[in-house]
Amino acid sequence: MHKQSVKKWGALVTAVLAAALLSGCGPQYLVFHPVGPVGKQELNLIITSVILIAIVIVPTLAIFFFIIFRYRNTPGNKAKYSPEWSESKVLEVVWWSIPIIIVGILSVFTAKTTFALTRPPEQNVNPMTIEVTSLDWKWLFQYPGQGVATVNYCEIPTGVPVQFVLTSDAPMNSFWVPQLGGQEYTMPGMAMGLWLQADKPGQYYGHGANFTGRGFAHDDFTVIAASNSDFNKWVSQTKSSAPALTMADYNKLKKPSTMGTASYSSFPKGLFDNVIWSEGGRYMPGTMNMAGMASGNSTAMSNSTAKSGIANEASQSSSSNK
Amino acid sequence: MPAALKQFTDTYLMWNEGYLIWISDILIALTSIGIVATLTYFKKWKWLWKEWLTSVDHKRIGIMYLIAALLMMFRGGADAMLLRTQLASPNSHFLTAEHYDQIFTTHGTIMILFMAMPMIFAMFNIVVPLQIGARDVAFPYLNAISFWLFFFGAMLFNISFVFGGSPDAGWVSYPPLTELGFDKGPGENFYLLSLQISGIGSIATGINFLATILKMRAPGMKLMRMPLFTWSVVAASIVIIFAFPALTIALALLMLDRIVGTHFFTMLHGGDPMMFVNLFWIWGHPEVYIVVLPAFGVFSEVVATFARKRIFGYTSMVASLLLISVISYFVWAHHFFTMGAGADVNTFFAVASMMVAIPTGVKVFNWLFTMFRGRISFELPMLWTLAFVPNFIIGGATGVMLAVAPADYQYHNSYFLIAHFHQVLIAGPVFGLIAGMYFWWPKMFGFKLDEKIGRIAFWLFNIGFYVCFMPQYALGFKGMQRRMYTYPAGMGWHTLNLISTIGAYIMGLGFLFIVVQIVYSIKYGERDLTGDPWNGRTLEWSLPSPAPHYNFAVIPTVTDRDMLWVMKQEGREGELRRINPDAIADIHMPKNSGRPFLMGLAFFVAGFGFVFNWYVLAVIGLVGVALTMILRAFEWDDEYHILAEEVREVEAALGRL
């Protein structure tokens, strides 16, 4: 390759990379624009991992291109040729140990964040709980503390850690709001917990992230973060103006379909628990202890959930509580 | 009875579903007519049966695997084109949701199980016995059974698109979506039964090649004198033997759920879908190493050959192969960090997954230092190998990113993940096996594939690859999930998807150039008269191309890792290429048999019966299976001898006496 064309290609590659990086700052790159502590921790970890990996791969790529250029088989190539040279203890020790060190460092960061994310992101604020049921192909949100329910959107107060308790009354799905933070699966017969928090008012895109069949592409929802007072206003407004969610309504929601949003002033008592129970929760050891689940007391709720409610997380939760 | 007929065509032939089905029907009919007509016109039926369908020769079986893999790559690629066409613009209705779901399911399943697997088995079969100085594999009859089980499994899977409907729950097939409650159709049964049938064949292949390599090496070929491709087959075979039974169990239990009405994977009677997810990935993750390890083996052979230098750090290379195969069993849960496992479990699997990067990184450095102070020539096998290196480095880097559990909460099921696994699976197995195909093609067929057309294919496929998959990383950060059949306009996903689709077309074009290259080279390709077109290093290049039926007239004694290369350096390669006529003895060979083919066919019939719960048909198939087994049990006369005189004649005709 001639020097000039190398330069030209270099310029092109730089331009493309620069464009990619700049566009990475665009607001549509949801994962790069977290609005809460969970998403921010995850983004920090993403950046840390990229830097650590780059320490290894950038020099490796440089060495690669150098070698294939320097040792190409052209007449008159003066570079050294030693066809039998095939061992070097020193070199081997170097490239066994570099990746070990990098992986070691990255492991520490990974472990720290993994454990941190099982705790509420804010310790000094009373958390709230929202019970989420994924249906074919819609999302039902129940507020045990407020007594209201919504479909395909949920309103949360800013600055308050929210424990989303997740289950499914349909095939497995996954609850993902990229700007708030990473996802967790919803599974029939189980309740799983996911801590998220929004620090900025706004509307955030959410979507089911695990394939559930025909209507999956239209399985989106919106999380609306509002100030505490706006949130309370919304709750009382919903309570006074929206219709109640009856069992008949729920059974209708359960049928496979897609729909817009809906609000309900109340929901049948114990609906969330009953759904878990009847979808197989009764066979899961530990589910019986979900005492606080539908107590309506959000503080008690989150504690009991953390202790024993999250069925197949029982062992993990207790270890993180220690 | 037109009403009954209409019911049949609507239910089973799905003619009410529109032009996609009609076009497929027409194409299948035309292809079948074409094949039948050609065979009849050239009077080749007998030849097909005697020389190919009943063959137990590893070289023939390898070639059949290769042809099947290329056909399946075409099918899976056509699926990919349809998917990318649908996603080129927002709110598109080129495909319906139902068809899109079926097509992404068949794309994934075919590419992994019916393209990558036969491709590695093609390499196993074509290369291993020649490389270790053997006359065939340990169990040639079983080898034929493996092939026909794969073949008829693949047929059963492929027929679903035009008969009864394809599976549509993704290649991972998670319950409860795949349980009767949500999925009544026969599509899922097609998936379960065809994978089951071909999976039995895969387990047998793993056993066969491990036994072959352990027991049938030429005298003097100690384990640490084996070529690295053979070592990679050892590693892959071990993984196959331990991983595939998990898939067999998962599929069998899900099939019982669907056919008999058990509840292994529904919560409703105390089963647990998580159990399927675990079993699936206990197979599924090792599976990706099953397909990538042989590719690593190919790269090791190619790099040493085209850098004209001994492989660097042979011991490390062997150790890392084995280490990867061991670690592969401790990473499966990274496929579901987001399914509520505890922080301790997630941390364990995150660290284990990152650890895969250590031996893999070591391999990359050793390849680099094999080229360092070598003399690199850029022929097609080397070109694909060189393209693999940076590509796989980036894919490996994003792999480590994905292994970071909390970061994975944001990547999981997004297009970031899609970009990652396509990058490692295309740069690894696909580039590796294409490199292997070019490398050993002369050994299989006696001619080289055309260099010029090959270069065009190479650049198209490679540039197309980056254009197709780099934007998908970005789409993941933009929050786009996998398996959406369409997307809204307001998310900023359109441009990147369009670019990705253009890239996919370029890759498709690259594939077509490979096809053109093969067709062109059959007629005009450079003939390989020496048997050693690349200045090779290992035993297979000491044989004529293509190798005679019995491979080695006299089994050589091995004294070095790069046997042929060392002999060449010492000017003694004649010892391998000139046979002493007195040393030739009668050669003991297995007889051909039509039974493996018939057994595969019987499995197909049984599988087809179970798919539709047509039990009479299923029983007929199973009886056929039992019958072929019983007949085999009472077969005493399944071997014969090629007389020394005959071997001498063949070798003399090849100019090797």
Side-chain angles (χ1 to χ4, degrees):
Chain A
M1 218 184 274
H2 295 293
K3 276 222 166 113
Q4 238 177 353
S5 66
V6 171
K7 257 187 196 164
K8 235 189 250 169
W9 278 101
L12 187 70
V13 169
T14 321
V16 170
L17 282 179
L21 284 175
L22 283 175
S23 65
C25 302
Q28 284 180 320
Y29 284 83
L30 304 177
V31 173
F32 296 152
H33 294 88
V35 294
V38 176
K40 276 180 189 152
Q41 280 183 71
E42 284 161 355
L43 180 60
N44 284 339
L45 198 57
I46 290 172
I47 294 167
T48 312
S49 65
V50 170
I51 293 170
L52 281 169
I53 295 162
I55 293 173
V56 182
I57 70 162
V58 172
T60 311
L61 286 171
I63 294 170
F64 167 75
F65 286 110
F66 167 76
I67 287 177
I68 58 170
F69 183 74
R70 180 103 168 88
Y71 297 100
R72 69 206 188 285
N73 187 26
T74 46
N77 187 347
K78 294 212 179 64
K80 205 170 163 189
Y81 175 49
S82 27
E84 299 302 321
W85 180 62
S86 64
E87 297 285 339
S88 163
K89 286 267 148 21
V90 180
L91 284 174
E92 297 246 26
V93 168
V94 169
W95 59 63
W96 275 96
S97 45
I98 292 175
I100 291 177
I101 294 168
I102 298 282
V103 165
I105 299 171
L106 191 53
S107 298
V108 174
F109 286 112
T110 302
K112 270 191 177 159
T113 312
T114 309
F115 281 94
L117 289 180
T118 60
R119 296 185 287 268
E122 188 92 52
Q123 304 293 343
N124 306 323
V125 183
N126 256 351
M128 72 173 282
T129 297
I130 297 176
E131 294 166 343
V132 184
T133 312
S134 66
L135 301 162
D136 265 349
W137 291 278
K138 49 195 95 72
W139 293 85
L140 172 67
F141 300 89
Q142 298 173 67
Y143 293 69
Q146 287 71 21
V148 295
T150 57
V151 171
N152 284 346
Y153 83 99
C154 85
E155 185 112 4
I156 59 171
T158 51
V160 176
V162 182
Q163 166 107 87
F164 288 94
V165 185
L166 311 165
T167 194
S168 176
D169 200 356
M172 285 182 196
N173 206 328
S174 189
F175 179 80
W176 188 27
V177 189
Q179 283 189 273
L180 295 188
Q183 62 196 289
E184 185 81 19
Y185 270 59
T186 63
M187 300 200 223
M190 302 182 206
M192 317 234 263
L194 176 66
W195 287 105
L196 292 175
Q197 179 180 324
D199 287 339
K200 258 198 331 211
Q203 298 205 5
Y204 305 113
Y205 168 81
H207 200 290
N210 188 56
F211 180 67
T212 49
R214 188 159 42 86
F216 173 67
H218 306 292
D219 198 14
D220 58 328
F221 58 90
T222 312
V223 175
I224 302 168
S227 68
N228 239 319
S229 58
D230 283 350
F231 173 74
N232 289 332
K233 221 184 281 166
W234 169 79
V235 171
S236 52
Q237 211 166 37
T238 309
K239 274 200 144 148
S240 58
S241 62
L245 176 72
T246 62
M247 253 344 266
D249 291 335
Y250 180 78
N251 288 330
K252 217 185 278 169
L253 283 176
K254 221 181 121 166
K255 289 204 177 110
S257 66
T258 54
M259 62 180 273
T261 59
S263 312
Y264 302 99
S265 59
S266 67
F267 52 84
K269 196 168 184 302
L271 174 63
F272 188 76
D273 281 7
N274 291 338
V275 165
I276 294 176
W277 191 251
S278 65
E279 284 299 302
R282 62 183 180 281
Y283 299 104
M284 295 288 290
T287 319
M288 278 297 285
N289 305 330
M290 295 199 294
M293 273 268 162
S295 68
N297 179 333
S298 61
T299 350
M301 164 64 218
S302 65
N303 285 336
S304 65
T305 310
K307 261 186 207 119
S308 59
I310 296 173
N312 68 343
E313 273 194 331
S315 60
Q316 165 261 322
S317 303
S318 54
S319 66
S320 65
N321 276 354
K322 271 170 209 162
Chain B
M1 342 170 255
L5 192 67
K6 183 165 177 358
Q7 213 236 328
F8 180 81
T9 58
D10 283 356
T11 315
Y12 294 108
L13 300 179
M14 303 169 295
W15 283 354
N16 53 344
E17 282 188 23
Y19 64 93
L20 209 61
I21 302 287
W22 306 336
I23 293 173
S24 309
D25 281 336
I26 292 168
L27 285 177
I28 291 170
L30 286 178
T31 315
S32 312
I33 292 169
I35 292 170
V36 171
T38 314
L39 285 169
T40 312
Y41 182 79
F42 290 104
K43 303 205 170 83
K44 288 286 186 190
W45 283 102
K46 204 170 168 194
W47 165 83
L48 180 71
W49 177 256
K50 290 200 87 157
E51 299 288 318
W52 293 93
L53 303 190
T54 59
S55 178
V56 295
D57 180 348
H58 68 97
K59 299 182 286 299
R60 298 255 153 124
I61 291 175
I63 288 168
M64 290 194 286
Y65 268 124
L66 181 68
I67 294 168
L70 290 173
L71 286 175
M72 286 295 105
M73 197 191 261
F74 177 75
R75 162 76 210 268
D79 285 349
M81 296 300 121
L82 292 172
L83 300 176
R84 283 313 322 170
T85 305
Q86 163 68 15
L87 291 175
S89 57
N91 298 316
S92 163
H93 291 287
F94 168 67
L95 296 176
T96 62
E98 285 87 347
H99 279 155
Y100 185 89
D101 297 347
Q102 291 186 16
I103 292 170
F104 78 65
T105 303
T106 53
H107 168 74
T109 314
I110 285 175
M111 284 305 201
I112 287 281
L113 285 144
F114 300 123
M115 188 282 284
M117 288 303 278
M119 200 78 171
I120 69 161
F121 291 159
M123 295 295 145
F124 283 24
N125 271 287
I126 289 156
V127 182
V128 169
L130 300 182
Q131 224 172 31
I132 63 171
R135 293 211 165 103
D136 206 317
V137 295
F139 311 109
Y141 182 88
L142 183 65
N143 198 22
I145 292 180
S146 287
F147 174 75
W148 290 111
L149 289 185
F150 147 73
F151 180 84
F152 282 106
M155 287 300 110
L156 185 62
F157 189 82
N158 275 276
I159 206 173
S160 66
F161 194 69
V162 291
F163 196 92
S166 285
D168 58 359
W171 84 282
V172 297
S173 178
Y174 285 174
L177 183 60
T178 50
E179 292 279 3
L180 283 180
F182 296 104
D183 186 351
K184 296 207 169 27
E188 183 60 23
N189 295 350
F190 271 117
Y191 169 93
L192 293 170
L193 285 148
S194 59
L195 263 59
Q196 192 67 281
I197 291 169
S198 63
I200 299 168
S202 301
I203 295 176
T205 302
I207 295 169
N208 211 339
F209 277 86
L210 192 59
T212 304
I213 294 170
L214 291 181
K215 300 298 289 182
M216 297 181 63
R217 278 165 296 145
M221 185 177 274
K222 298 176 185 153
L223 284 178
M224 291 310 270
R225 278 186 194 155
M226 293 197 310
L228 278 171
F229 178 75
T230 299
W231 261 116
S232 75
V233 177
V234 171
S237 297
I238 293 173
V239 183
I240 289 174
I241 293 167
F242 284 98
F244 262 85
L247 177 71
T248 303
I249 296 298
L251 297 174
L253 296 183
L254 186 52
M255 199 175 84
L256 287 175
D257 278 10
R258 290 180 59 84
I259 291 178
V260 186
T262 53
H263 289 275
F264 289 107
F265 302 131
T266 65
M267 293 290 287
L268 289 174
H269 291 79
D272 190 343
M274 278 304 294
M275 204 137 71
F276 180 89
V277 177
N278 273 296
L279 283 171
F280 184 86
W281 287 114
I282 286 171
W283 162 77
H285 199 84
E287 163 67 14
V288 303
Y289 295 129
I290 292 169
V291 295
V292 84
L293 288 173
F296 289 170
V298 173
F299 295 134
S300 299
E301 302 293 339
V302 169
V303 162
T305 305
F306 292 91
R308 312 240 166 100
K309 188 159 162 279
R310 253 179 203 278
I311 196 82
F312 197 86
Y314 176 88
T315 318
S316 267
M317 290 301 243
V318 173
S320 54
L321 279 173
L322 296 176
L323 206 56
I324 293 171
S325 61
V326 172
I327 301 177
S328 75
Y329 285 99
F330 297 96
V331 300
W332 82 87
H334 72 212
H335 294 272
F336 44 96
F337 281 144
T338 53
M339 281 194 187
D344 42 4
V345 172
N346 276 356
T347 303
F348 174 85
F349 282 98
V351 174
S353 306
M354 288 177 210
M355 276 166 55
V356 177
I358 298 167
T360 316
V362 167
K363 295 195 82 67
V364 171
F365 285 120
N366 278 326
W367 287 317
L368 291 185
F369 275 75
T370 302
M371 295 189 283
F372 180 74
R373 296 188 185 162
R375 278 293 175 273
I376 305 164
S377 52
F378 300 89
E379 275 141 298
L380 288 177
M382 188 60 166
L383 222 45
W384 286 88
T385 303
L386 291 175
F388 147 84
V389 174
N391 204 340
F392 201 78
I393 288 176
I394 301 168
T398 56
V400 176
M401 289 170 74
L402 275 153
V404 177
D408 177 71
Y409 301 164
Q410 290 281 37
Y411 307 135
H412 184 84
N413 275 355
S414 76
Y415 264 84
F416 186 89
L417 170 78
I418 302 305
H420 160 73
F421 75 65
H422 279 96
Q423 182 150 28
V424 282
L425 283 171
I426 290 174
V430 175
F431 282 22
L433 298 166
I434 290 177
M437 179 182 84
Y438 284 130
F439 190 51
W440 282 298
W441 188 277
K443 193 49 59 193
M444 289 182 248
F445 298 105
F447 62 89
K448 274 177 151 179
L449 286 172
D450 186 75
E451 190 82 17
K452 226 185 222 161
I453 309 176
R455 277 174 194 271
I456 300 172
F458 169 80
W459 285 110
L460 285 173
F461 202 87
N462 264 274
I463 293 169
F465 172 84
Y466 287 99
V467 176
C468 180
F469 290 106
M470 293 304 117
Q472 294 188 9
Y473 282 117
L475 280 169
F477 288 123
K478 284 187 162 189
M480 183 165 171
Q481 302 87 29
R482 73 195 296 195
R483 294 176 176 156
M484 299 174 88
Y485 92 99
T486 189
Y487 54 90
M491 300 296 297
W493 296 345
H494 177 198
T495 318
L496 289 170
N497 267 301
L498 183 64
I499 295 172
S500 179
T501 301
I502 293 168
Y505 289 160
I506 300 175
M507 287 174 84
L509 203 59
F511 178 80
L512 290 183
F513 268 88
I514 293 181
V515 176
V516 170
Q517 179 194 20
I518 292 174
V519 173
Y520 175 87
S521 308
I522 290 175
K523 193 133 195 224
Y524 302 107
E526 184 192 331
R527 304 293 122 168
D528 169 29
L529 303 171
T530 60
D532 186 14
W534 315 112
N535 194 7
R537 313 176 66 85
T538 41
L539 281 184
E540 72 268 34
W541 304 112
S542 71
L543 293 172
S545 297
H549 177 51
Y550 47 80
N551 299 351
F552 296 87
V554 175
I555 304 284
T557 301
V558 176
T559 53
D560 196 281
R561 212 176 273 156
D562 297 275
M563 185 65 188
L564 181 61
W565 174 260
V566 169
M567 298 290 254
K568 282 186 205 166
Q569 298 306 307
E570 297 172 358
R572 292 166 51 211
E573 75 266 34
E575 290 174 27
L576 290 170
R577 290 192 174 137
R578 293 262 169 238
I579 312 293
N580 172 9
D582 298 332
I584 295 175
D586 291 356
I587 294 175
H588 179 210
M589 296 295 285
K591 269 190 188 167
N592 283 358
S593 170
R595 238 175 285 112
F597 176 86
L598 295 175
M599 187 191 224
L601 188 64
F603 262 108
F604 177 88
V605 172
F608 198 75
F610 279 118
V611 166
F612 294 98
N613 298 354
W614 294 341
Y615 293 113
V616 178
L617 200 60
V619 168
I620 292 173
L622 288 178
V623 168
V625 172
L627 219 62
T628 50
M629 283 184 180
I630 293 166
L631 284 174
R632 170 66 176 171
F634 289 98
E635 181 182 41
W636 310 111
D637 180 29
D638 61 345
E639 293 158 345
Y640 73 106
H641 283 86
I642 306 178
L643 298 176
E645 198 42 49
E646 231 175 289
V647 177
R648 269 182 223 121
E649 272 167 35
V650 174
E651 294 289 312
L654 289 164
R656 288 166 64 86
L657 282 184

